[in-house]
Amino acid sequence: MSGRKRIWNRVRPVFAVSIACAASSAAHAQSMRDVEAIAKERGLTTQDLVAAAKTYTPSGQHDDYVMFASGGHAGQVFAVGLPSMRLLRSIAVFTPESWQGWGFGVGNEILEAGFPKGKPNLWGDAHHPALSETNGDYDGQFLFINDKINARVAVIDLRDWETKQIVKNPLTVSDHGGTFVTPNTDYIIEGGQYSVPFGSEYAPISQYKEKYRGSVTLWKFDRKKGRIDKSKSFALELPPYWQDLADAGKLVSDGYMFLNSLNTEMATGGIEEKNPPFEAGASRNATDFLHIINWKKAVKVYEAGKAEMIEGFPVITLKTSIDEGLIYLTPEPRSPHGVDVTPKGDFMVVSGKLDPHVTVYSFDKIKKAIASGSYSGKDDFGLPILDFDSVVEAQVEVGLGPLHTQFGPDGYAYTSLFLDSAIARWTLGGSYGSSTPEPDWTLVQKTPVHYNVGHISAAEGDTVSPDGKYLVSLNKWSVDRFLTTGPLLPQNLQLLDISHQGTNMPVIYDMPMGVGEPHYAQIIKADKLNPWKIYPEVGWDTVEQNIDPMAPKSKMERVQRNDDGTVDVYMTAIRSHFNPEHVKVKQGDHVRWHITNIERAFDATHGFAVPVYNITASLEAGETETIEFDADIPGTFPFYCSEFCSALHLEMMGYLLVEPE
Ligand code: CUK
Ligand code: CUA
């Protein structure tokens, strides 16, 4: 009996499981029939279903990666989750943004610090985001981005995903070769673009060669303070070529940086005067110059006091760079674009927009060429030119209009092809060749994208340890991919699955981006980010990232009139009221309105909006903001909370009463 029972005990669970299995397999079969029916009705292929399964992310399940994409002329940064391609957040940077109150009471001083020549400038052409790195790997602490139109660099703190600093470049007025960080984020590289006389001062274009100059700036980053330290930053004077993109060396090439360039012809345009237009004049020559700069040596030269003050900023002149051996040039093929350093730091990949090849330079050969001191010549400014053949490792024919290259973990490189509207996958030969099934420098495959791809971004694809898996193609045109939204169409960010070696890298998602033109993006593993859920303490100053001693506290709310005619408002916000609710001031008062959101609950954000006075703020749990304005218009102004925070959110309001003189 006991024996049988034992057997029964053993059998029963198996039996139970098989009943459950039968039930679940019936349900499964029904689900599969449902999927088939839906697919048939919607005209979806098996590949479409696989793509959906790879990207669909159920509610509450989080993305594996975050892509920080520049907002282009929206002047912001967009954070997108991968693989779902859901927009998670915009981060206000160069352009006022009313949800976050950016420029409407919040961040005004940060924006003002970046005004070029003191002129209010309320938009930016946010271009190349750069995540901070430790030993060449993203560390998830900071994000930098440049503004191409006014040559500015912004610092974003990834604890709260907010902009903390904007610096204006004192020398150049447009930048393109930024932002790129050195492997430990000691410096943020900002290369100029369109040459101007330093400080953007006036000089006739006939004096182009003498007066106009290029530059690259090394902004010293103080990681502890989370700020660029202008007092330890400097620039290098460069010839008036249009320096284009940059990249920092890493591992074997740590200490060097590389800038490609165009218009080494020094064309000055003037189509209206029957001169060749820039597009012809600036692509007349067969080659331009890759700039190879020893930045670690440049730091020593700067620290030795050998920089000259120009426009109030230390600049290492061309003459000093030549004397000290800081800058070398080498030819790069027709209308080059981009320079991307491979994960081991051993090769520099340059694309030629008008050349179907990518040109791969060997850092080892560059070093040998510099050491040998035998140059193939000098440029018009006396910079030594390294012989092309002595520094090139390979030229790989990838297709038409190659632009930008990113890397995988397995010896693959990926290059965007603007004219082909495709992504090329090719192998990094030599030291990388062993881990790929294909030998040496070989084009493996091309995948069509839609359409006119500019940058691409692979998961951690420009670091010392790329992840592979995903690649996003940032396409300039979307044409027929979405519903027509009038003549202005969204950009198309296409997600490619690059996890399989060999020949398969399908497009698995199309994300329309109807805000600005995301230009470049970096993709970081989500678990490297460790943002705050609420501000660490109540009364948090988000600029100083510390407690604000002036922060209004509970039970200390008041409207305080000072002897000098100013008024301080000490206000708290909590569901669902402001305190005080009546703020009475006199016409002409200067008002400093301090508000603390005293909530400690996850996601308990309150808004603060005042009509006529052009004020709006977003106050996250714990945050204190001080908003200053002159109460110059008398009247009755209902202010209110602009975030739907609670059932009684509509009641979360008060009156600003400005008594006439
Ligand atoms: S550059 Cu290469 S596609 Cu402005 Cu980053 Cu545009
Ligand atoms: Cu607070 Cu709505």
Side-chain angles (χ1 to χ4, degrees):
M1 189 61 207
S2 64
R4 270 168 77 193
K5 196 178 173 191
R6 235 178 287 136
I7 290 164
W8 177 238
N9 276 346
R10 240 179 290 151
V11 170
R12 194 168 45 188
V14 175
F15 190 62
V17 165
S18 67
I19 292 172
C21 265
S24 81
S25 73
H28 179 75
Q30 182 55 44
S31 298
M32 291 319 287
R33 280 195 298 276
D34 289 348
V35 169
E36 275 171 34
I38 293 165
K40 200 170 162 211
E41 195 189 323
R42 300 195 62 215
L44 304 176
T45 64
T46 316
Q47 284 107 306
D48 295 335
L49 294 178
V50 171
K54 283 176 179 170
T55 56
Y56 175 71
T57 307
S59 177
Q61 189 170 312
H62 296 174
D63 280 304
D64 297 331
Y65 287 89
V66 175
M67 171 170 72
F68 291 101
S70 69
H73 24 294
Q76 289 152 358
V77 167
F78 299 116
V80 175
L82 264 63
S84 75
M85 298 301 277
R86 294 176 297 195
L87 176 64
L88 298 173
R89 228 197 108 158
S90 74
I91 302 171
V93 188
F94 300 109
T95 304
E97 202 277 348
S98 44
W99 171 49
Q100 292 154 85
W102 192 247
F104 300 98
V106 178
N108 290 33
E109 309 80 36
I110 294 170
L111 280 166
E112 278 161 25
F115 285 170
K117 294 181 182 270
K119 204 164 175 64
N121 207 285
L122 296 173
W123 73 285
D125 188 7
H127 238 67
H128 302 117
L131 286 152
S132 59
E133 294 180 8
T134 300
N135 299 324
D137 239 328
Y138 299 154
D139 55 37
Q141 293 183 4
F142 295 94
L143 179 70
F144 311 98
I145 189 156
N146 69 308
D147 164 30
K148 175 173 149 155
I149 184 66
N150 278 306
R152 298 180 290 181
V153 171
V155 179
I156 297 161
D157 189 331
L158 290 176
R159 285 174 294 181
D160 61 356
W161 296 33
E162 291 197 354
T163 302
K164 303 301 171 190
Q165 186 184 24
I166 296 175
V167 294
K168 168 75 193 98
N169 192 301
L171 300 170
T172 180
V173 76
S174 64
D175 68 18
H176 200 223
T179 49
F180 298 90
V181 297
T182 57
N184 282 303
T185 323
D186 297 312
Y187 290 91
I188 303 154
I189 298 167
E190 184 197 20
Q193 176 131 72
Y194 303 120
S195 296
V196 289
F198 280 143
S200 198
E201 301 291 336
Y202 174 78
I205 205 131
S206 56
Q207 297 176 1
Y208 186 83
K209 202 174 157 187
E210 303 77 51
K211 295 262 174 80
Y212 288 49
R213 283 296 173 266
S215 67
V216 59
T217 301
L218 283 150
W219 293 108
K220 176 79 184 152
F221 186 62
D222 183 334
R223 199 187 277 263
K224 241 183 164 164
K225 291 200 179 114
R227 294 290 188 280
I228 284 170
D229 184 348
K230 220 172 159 180
S231 73
K232 291 184 179 146
S233 305
F234 67 96
L236 291 107
E237 177 188 16
L238 297 176
Y241 312 143
W242 294 347
Q243 282 76 29
D244 191 29
L245 289 173
D247 202 1
K250 53 179 82 119
L251 300 176
V252 294
S253 54
D254 187 12
Y256 281 77
M257 64 179 172
F258 308 89
L259 280 94
N260 80 289
S261 65
L262 56 159
N263 197 17
T264 49
E265 297 86 348
M266 293 182 278
T268 51
I271 192 170
E272 69 291 344
E273 290 161 22
K274 306 245 172 344
N275 292 325
F278 278 113
E279 61 173 320
S283 46
R284 211 172 48 233
N285 294 351
T287 56
D288 288 290
F289 289 126
L290 176 67
H291 299 46
I292 300 154
I293 301 176
N294 186 336
W295 68 260
K296 280 201 175 158
K297 207 168 167 188
V299 170
K300 292 215 177 85
V301 168
Y302 159 66
E303 285 174 349
K306 294 181 190 167
E308 253 175 51
M309 292 304 273
I310 300 176
E311 299 290 324
F313 197 71
V315 179
I316 299 176
T317 62
L318 272 171
K319 187 181 177 307
T320 306
S321 283
I322 293 163
D323 293 348
E324 303 279 343
L326 303 181
I327 307 175
Y328 298 87
L329 305 175
T330 194
E332 42 183 15
R334 295 180 63 94
S335 284
H337 193 59
V339 50
D340 297 288
V341 178
T342 52
K344 293 178 188 172
D346 45 359
F347 301 110
M348 291 77 226
V349 180
V350 172
S351 293
K353 292 182 300 231
L354 303 178
D355 177 341
H357 297 87
V358 289
T359 300
V360 184
Y361 299 83
S362 153
F363 184 69
D364 197 47
K365 290 182 179 175
I366 287 172
K367 258 190 351 196
K368 284 187 180 130
I370 292 173
S372 79
S374 68
Y375 311 123
S376 61
K378 288 182 177 175
D379 81 339
D380 288 2
F381 300 85
L383 288 171
I385 301 170
L386 307 179
D387 174 51
F388 181 72
D389 292 324
S390 74
V391 293
V392 165
E393 181 74 21
Q395 288 192 290
V396 187
E397 188 168 342
V398 288
L400 299 180
L403 292 181
H404 295 286
T405 299
Q406 293 261 303
F407 304 97
D410 40 18
Y412 285 120
Y414 300 85
T415 299
S416 54
L417 304 171
F418 181 81
L419 298 175
D420 271 354
S421 282
I423 309 302
R425 173 190 252 166
W426 51 282
T427 56
L428 294 165
S431 57
Y432 291 85
S434 57
S435 62
T436 57
E438 302 81 9
D440 298 331
W441 307 96
T442 315
L443 172 68
V444 179
Q445 188 220 353
K446 283 200 257 180
T447 289
V449 290
H450 314 89
Y451 305 89
N452 297 7
V453 52
H455 276 275
I456 50 175
S457 180
E460 311 222 345
D462 72 343
T463 69
V464 295
S465 60
D467 284 11
K469 293 184 185 148
Y470 300 116
L471 181 144
V472 173
S473 171
L474 289 92
N475 307 321
K476 307 289 183 189
W477 285 19
S478 63
V479 191
D480 56 359
R481 294 294 100 176
F482 308 109
L483 289 173
T484 301
T485 53
L488 181 62
L489 300 172
Q491 316 288 309
N492 188 7
L493 275 56
Q494 287 189 308
L495 179 67
L496 277 68
D497 176 2
I498 57 164
S499 54
H500 301 284
Q501 289 201 340
T503 57
N504 184 11
M505 47 176 192
V507 172
I508 55 172
Y509 201 90
D510 278 36
M511 182 208 189
M513 181 65 94
V515 208
E517 186 207 39
H519 201 81
Y520 175 49
Q522 289 194 334
I523 300 169
I524 182 174
K525 193 87 202 308
D527 61 17
K528 285 186 175 175
L529 297 164
N530 192 18
W532 289 329
K533 291 185 169 173
I534 55 173
Y535 280 105
E537 295 192 52
V538 172
W540 198 259
D541 176 339
T542 62
V543 177
E544 295 300 321
Q545 296 288 47
N546 214 329
I547 298 179
D548 178 356
M550 293 282 283
K553 295 184 183 68
S554 181
K555 300 203 172 60
M556 292 172 63
E557 297 93 343
R558 64 193 184 279
V559 178
Q560 179 183 301
R561 173 163 293 280
N562 306 310
D563 296 338
D564 60 359
T566 62
V567 173
D568 283 291
V569 181
Y570 294 91
M571 175 175 274
T572 57
I574 191 164
R575 279 161 292 173
S576 302
H577 60 266
F578 293 108
N579 184 4
E581 292 185 329
H582 298 167
V583 174
K584 297 176 210 162
V585 301
K586 295 196 170 70
Q587 184 180 6
D589 284 345
H590 182 75
V591 181
R592 279 183 297 267
W593 196 312
H594 317 271
I595 320 177
T596 305
N597 175 347
I598 58 175
E599 302 269 3
R600 298 315 281 151
F602 194 12
D603 204 7
T605 293
H606 294 290
F608 172 69
V610 186
V612 178
Y613 281 94
N614 196 33
I615 289 167
T616 173
S618 173
L619 299 155
E620 283 77 67
E623 178 172 354
T624 288
E625 284 295 340
T626 295
I627 295 156
E628 291 195 47
F629 62 97
D630 292 316
D632 48 359
I633 300 165
T636 304
F637 306 103
F639 59 85
Y640 63 85
C641 169
S642 51
E643 283 276 326
F644 208 122
C645 56
S646 62
L648 297 177
H649 149 82
L650 288 179
E651 288 81 348
M652 189 165 177
M653 64 83 66
Y655 282 100
L656 165 66
L657 297 152
V658 183
E659 193 187 327
E661 282 176 309

